[in-house]
Amino acid sequence: MSDPDIASLQRRLVDFAESRQWGPYHTPKNLAMALTVEASELAEIFQWLTPEESAEVMSDPDKAFRVRDEVADVLAYLLQLASACGVDVLRALSEKIDRNEVRFPAPPR
């Protein structure tokens, strides 16, 4: 199996939702709200950890599984939101990096 690309993942997510008749609920508003919930669940894993503990979180198999699972949920809702809004996530990110490079120039070496 080859590595999936953004478009194939978005298609799988749409197909998954459609086969369960969830389409009417996958509005931009609902997807944005679900995205924030999942991002909060990811943040909760790190909430009371020290910086050192947070840097080591992936060495604990149970916590690593939770991090991967919540990252996947965040990405799934982000891709679904982007699809619902017609946003090309790779282009949007590239354009944002371009703007940030101008806005926050690197100091001279």
Side-chain angles (χ1 to χ4, degrees):
M1 176 186 209
S2 63
D3 288 337
D5 58 26
I6 297 291
S8 68
L9 290 172
Q10 285 177 304
R11 182 77 248 153
R12 284 183 67 193
L13 290 164
V14 167
D15 292 346
F16 182 88
E18 284 179 358
S19 68
R20 287 152 182 81
Q21 297 158 357
W22 293 349
Y25 307 104
H26 282 205
T27 64
K29 177 192 82 68
N30 288 348
L31 293 168
M33 291 173 60
L35 174 60
T36 64
V37 169
E38 295 301 338
S40 295
E41 290 178 5
L42 177 60
E44 183 180 31
I45 297 165
F46 297 93
Q47 184 174 11
W48 301 114
L49 301 180
T50 65
E52 296 79 19
E53 290 169 333
S54 70
E56 296 297 321
V57 76
M58 297 306 283
S59 63
D60 177 324
D62 291 332
K63 286 181 182 171
F65 174 81
R66 289 181 57 215
V67 168
R68 286 190 303 273
D69 216 42
E70 295 306 335
V71 165
D73 286 342
V74 168
L75 182 57
Y77 279 115
L78 179 61
L79 292 177
Q80 289 175 89
L81 176 60
S83 183
C85 293
V87 173
D88 177 330
V89 293
L90 297 179
R91 179 180 304 277
L93 178 55
S94 179
E95 290 171 354
K96 181 67 175 188
I97 293 169
D98 290 345
R99 288 192 303 279
N100 282 344
E101 288 173 338
V102 171
R103 194 170 162 209
F104 305 105
R109 293 183 186 221

